[in-house]
């Protein structure tokens, strides 16, 4: 028994020497002091079988061993715990010398880029820029533009009404025509770019909110030749010198005559492809000579003054210019898409 006690002490010393973390110290604690099969408790258990005359000596030796091992284990455990704590602290320290994360820089949205480009082209021609209000009255959005209350053309601009007093979300930027002509005496030249709203289903090409650009010019002796030349210049600045346009008769209540303008397809250069339905042309804007009644509604004498106006979708131009097939892409704010422009 004495010998077993000594061996146990030596085993313990060897094990303790090579244990350098709390996990192996824990294993030692279980091996020597574990309640069920720990070596020390089982030695204590064997004490009852020791012959009487040896009992005291063996008991003393066992007590000594237990005390020594307990103290040694406690000391080493404390040292290891302290070392582990300071290692952890060192790992948590912030290293100020590491390179910082760069903040993500934002940039302009493709619609903004196209809008700014359009505004610049018109500024160069002496137009002023006025976005106008998005919440509008029936007068500016419809009535003054010659849409009488029951005019069927209102149907094509399915409207969001804000309240029963006929406040609405503008369905086009043409409201700025009236606001400009009321505010300023001719000659006037203005371009208005901004958001417009219609109760549309969301499709590849349509969304209930979209962006329009509107140009208005009123002066003396203005005729349809000025309108055509201005549009041609605008389209060529935007899409390149090879772009061609054609005008088709159309109808808008606030212009007479009215026309729709097609541009030679930018993808096939007029040869015919899937995007232009094999026609070689794509429709891009509506235009016309300002209706005499619209001039009168704004206190301008149509005998003295004449003008032209046109309007187009900015989103659609952005989609064509950047070859974006789905309008939703422009509103989803996916950086992987937006960072390409
Ligand atoms: N406001 C029209 C629309 O949203 C577009 C338009 C057509 C604007 C002819 C004009 C114009 O200025 O002359 O459908």
């Amino acid at each position: 028994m004495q010998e077993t006690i000594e061996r146990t002490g030596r085993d313990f010393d060897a094990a303790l020497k090579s244990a350098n973390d709390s996990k192996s110290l824990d294993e030692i604690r279980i091996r020597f002091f574990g309640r069920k099969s720990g070596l020390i408790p089982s030695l204590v258990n064997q004490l009852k079988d020791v012959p009487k005359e040896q009992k005291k000596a063996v008991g003393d030796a066992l007590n000594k061993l237990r005390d020594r091992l307990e103290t040694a284990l406690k000391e080493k455990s404390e040292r290891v715990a302290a070392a582990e704590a300071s290692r952890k602290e060192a790992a948590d320290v912030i290293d100020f010398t590491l390179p910082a994360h760069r903040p993500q820089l934002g940039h302009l949205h493709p619609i903004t880029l196209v809008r700014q480009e359009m505004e610049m082209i018109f500024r160069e021609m002496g137009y002023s820029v006025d976005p106008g209000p998005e919440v509008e009255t029936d007068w500016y959005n419809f009535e003054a533009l010659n849409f009488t209350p029951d005019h069927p053309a209102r149907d094509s601009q399915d409207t969001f009404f804000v309240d029963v007093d006929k406040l609405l979300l503008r369905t086009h930027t043409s409201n700025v025509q009236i606001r400009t002509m009321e505010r300023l005496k001719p000659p006037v030249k203005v371009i208005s770019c901004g958001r417009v709203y219609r109760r549309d289903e969301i499709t590849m090409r349509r969304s209930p909110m979209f962006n329009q650009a509107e140009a208005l010019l009123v002066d003396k002796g203005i005729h349809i030749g000025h309108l055509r030349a201005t549009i041609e210049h605008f389209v060529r600045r935007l899409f390149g010198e090879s772009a061609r346009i054609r005008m088709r008769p159309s109808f808008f209540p606030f212009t007479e005559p009215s026309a729709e303008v097609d541009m030679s397809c930018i993808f096939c250069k007029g040869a015919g492809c899937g995007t232009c339905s094999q026609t070689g042309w794509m429709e891009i804007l509506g235009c016309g000579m300002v209706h005499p009644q619209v001039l009168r509604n704004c206190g301008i004498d149509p005998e003295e003054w004449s003008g032209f106006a046109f309007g187009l979708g900015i989103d659609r131009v952005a989609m064509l210019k950047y070859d974006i097939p789905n309008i939703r892409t422009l509103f989803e704010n996916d950086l992987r898409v937006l960072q390409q422009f």
Side-chain angles (χ1 to χ4, degrees):
M1 182 82 178
Q2 281 289 5
E3 202 182 302
T4 316
I5 290 173
E6 274 165 34
R7 190 165 17 88
T8 306
R10 282 196 304 278
D11 286 354
F12 175 87
D13 292 339
L16 193 68
K17 200 167 170 201
S18 59
N20 284 311
D21 53 51
S22 45
K23 187 166 168 272
S24 35
L25 287 169
D26 224 36
E27 282 163 13
I28 293 178
R29 192 184 51 75
I30 290 164
R31 181 171 155 213
F32 287 88
F33 294 102
R35 203 162 291 167
K36 273 196 194 138
S37 52
L39 292 173
I40 302 288
S42 75
L43 284 174
V44 172
N45 212 21
Q46 288 166 36
L47 206 56
K48 60 180 189 304
D49 306 327
V50 171
K52 221 178 188 169
E53 57 281 9
Q54 293 177 21
K55 222 172 212 156
K56 183 162 177 344
V58 173
D60 281 351
L62 194 52
N63 275 342
K64 241 196 237 153
L65 177 75
R66 192 188 50 207
D67 291 350
R68 182 174 78 77
L69 301 199
E70 262 176 10
T71 313
L73 186 60
K74 189 164 171 253
E75 262 172 22
K76 181 131 193 197
S77 296
E78 279 168 6
R79 248 186 301 132
V80 164
E84 281 179 352
S86 70
R87 260 206 304 278
K88 185 162 184 288
E89 202 173 293
D92 281 349
V93 160
I94 296 169
D95 182 353
F96 292 103
T97 64
L98 286 174
H101 290 294
R102 278 170 183 274
Q104 287 215 5
L105 278 188
H107 65 90
L108 297 177
H109 190 278
I111 290 180
T112 309
L113 291 173
V114 171
R115 174 176 60 73
Q116 289 185 341
E117 194 176 345
M118 289 180 176
E119 287 174 350
M120 186 51 73
I121 295 169
F122 279 93
R123 273 184 214 275
E124 286 168 6
M125 294 192 280
Y127 285 65
S128 59
V129 176
D130 179 1
E134 289 175 27
V135 179
E136 193 49 289
T137 63
D138 187 87
W139 169 257
Y140 290 103
N141 194 80
F142 288 126
E143 188 114 26
L145 286 160
N146 220 15
F147 290 82
T148 47
D150 298 320
H151 200 292
R154 287 183 181 226
D155 292 350
S156 68
Q157 305 205 357
D158 208 350
T159 310
F160 287 111
F161 289 96
V162 176
D163 64 23
V164 281
D165 284 339
K166 296 197 172 170
L167 264 188
L168 46 83
L169 298 182
R170 68 174 173 189
T171 56
H172 51 183
T173 42
S174 302
N175 64 329
V176 183
Q177 291 189 29
I178 306 301
R179 290 195 168 268
T180 305
M181 289 190 284
E182 270 187 3
R183 198 161 44 85
L184 304 172
K185 297 232 160 313
V188 292
K189 279 165 139 183
V190 68
I191 170 161
S192 168
C193 297
R195 283 185 279 263
V196 304
Y197 304 84
R198 289 183 200 178
R199 291 183 48 193
D200 253 331
E201 298 287 324
I202 301 180
T203 65
M204 296 275 275
R205 297 263 203 97
R206 286 171 185 279
S207 117
M209 187 283 295
F210 55 105
N211 294 270
Q212 279 192 342
E214 183 98 11
L216 168 74
L217 181 148
V218 180
D219 206 334
K220 289 199 164 136
I222 297 302
H223 55 73
I224 204 161
H226 297 118
L227 170 62
R228 186 179 170 114
T230 305
I231 293 174
E232 202 159 55
H233 172 75
F234 169 60
V235 168
R236 287 186 174 164
R237 282 293 311 277
L238 213 50
F239 289 101
E241 281 303 310
S242 62
R244 283 173 297 133
I245 62 163
R246 71 175 185 187
M247 294 169 93
R248 286 178 289 109
S250 184
F251 172 81
F252 301 102
F254 44 94
T255 44
E256 186 61 37
S258 303
E260 230 137 333
V261 173
D262 298 334
M263 175 180 77
S264 51
C265 176
I266 55 169
F267 299 107
C268 62
K269 304 268 179 282
C273 68
T275 311
C276 61
S277 310
Q278 311 303 332
T279 61
W281 296 97
M282 33 211 326
E283 189 186 313
I284 57 156
L285 60 81
C287 66
M289 302 307 294
V290 180
H291 195 293
Q293 187 55 44
V294 173
L295 293 174
R296 263 183 239 116
N297 288 344
C298 302
I300 295 171
D301 179 3
E303 298 299 325
E304 196 181 346
W305 304 97
S306 58
F308 65 70
F310 60 90
L312 74 160
I314 298 179
D315 315 60
R316 188 143 152 62
V317 171
M319 288 166 76
L320 289 176
K321 217 171 147 66
Y322 298 125
D323 199 6
I324 299 172
N326 191 335
I327 193 167
R328 245 183 287 185
T329 313
L330 292 170
F331 305 129
E332 280 171 346
N333 285 342
D334 186 335
L335 288 178
R336 288 168 305 177
V337 175
L338 299 180
Q339 272 162 354
Q340 296 173 40
F341 305 104

